[in-house]
Amino acid sequence: MTTPLYLGIVGVGGVGNAFLEQLGQLPNPPKLILLARSSQTLSSPVPAYSPSIPFATWEDAAKLPSLVKSDALPPTEIAAFLASAPGRTILVDNTSDLALAQAYPIFLERGVSVVTPNKKGFSEDITLFNDIFASAVRGNALVYHQCTVGGTLPVLSTLRDLVATGDEIIRIEGVLSGTLSLLLCEFMPGNGTSNVRWSSLVSHAKEIGHTEPDPRDDLNGLDFARKLIIIARVIGIEVTRPDSFPVESLIPDELSSLPSSAGGISEFMNELPKYDVKMDAAKNAAREQGKVLRYVGSIDVPTRAIEVGLRHVEKGSPIANLQGSQIVSIYTKRYGANPLILQGGGGGGEVTAMGLMADLLKVMERLK
């Protein structure tokens, strides 16, 4: 007999809405019984957990009069609601909320599996990372977070396979920010020249939605660093905290203390052109060596050294030739001098939703 599957989704922004649309295309989707955003929650009435929530936008789903509508629920109440459903339940967290990520052990202890692109739970203090997976074992639940690194690129699953089959990973390096990849490729193309100003590139990327609303969230390198932390932990390197290694920020020191308010963002963008000379100097230094400038992260496994920042890379190399995509090169004992390379686009709502859907399908198959 097939076990009934129930689903709760938190986060209905760009990724969440794309995910809902893709759910509606499944032949036998799980029953959606909770849909939550930052300020409101929709849920199926108990104890019947019927009707289920339609796979539609928030506005359309909220029109169903029989659903229970409430303010935002704390993670503990969401966990209790999902755990009480008469079957196996799955939480899909489409947010970047730290508080929800910190509650994953509560969900997992109660048998609620977790699928998420939220990096916070896997890159904060190592105790939370360990507690997540220990709680999954105790609760007989599953954790899938492939999309926390590289979008839909199979970075984490490939690394787990390499480790499980006894290969020795020696070094990992790559570009794990599509935004920084795009900016630096336009600032200093792998083939050819460009005289465009760094601040102009950042401004244009912000205008067309290729950066976060506050571009400093891309330029500080911290999101990139979180991905490296997750990679390191998956291969057995216990990085204790997000600040365990230095991360080179592309935010001028003089502008780093501006507030994250709309006014602070506006002031940052207005002041940034004054500091173009620093990025010009970095470009010229790379050019003098016959190389190109890229923002790269690396993990040297024997020494446990992790680095994130601007690097001079050889012209014609895979990293030099990036066109806004992400790339991970994995050097192992079996692969020798020729690394295993994973490369492709890593972001966007529909692409991330596809990666989440792939993880969800794996969980559904294992829970049946």
Side-chain angles (χ1 to χ4, degrees), residues 93-128:
D93 172 19
N94 292 319
T95 76
S96 59
D97 183 41
L98 175 59
L100 183 54
Q102 289 173 326
Y104 288 168
I106 298 173
F107 287 87
L108 296 161
E109 288 269 9
R110 303 196 64 167
V112 179
S113 296
V114 173
V115 172
T116 184
N118 187 345
K119 290 179 281 293
K120 300 291 177 64
F122 308 96
S123 59
E124 280 292 312
D125 192 278
I126 189 66
T127 56
L128 175 58

Side-chain angles (χ1 to χ4, degrees), residues 219-236:
L219 299 179
N220 62 20
L222 296 180
D223 185 71
F224 191 127
R226 283 186 179 274
K227 297 172 185 177
L228 274 188
I229 291 171
I230 295 169
I231 287 176
R233 289 173 176 175
V234 164
I235 65 174

Side-chain angles (χ1 to χ4, degrees), residues 208-223:
I208 63 178
H210 283 177
T211 72
E212 295 295 330
D214 186 345
R216 290 172 294 177
D217 291 337
D218 295 298
L219 299 179
N220 62 20
L222 296 180
D223 185 71

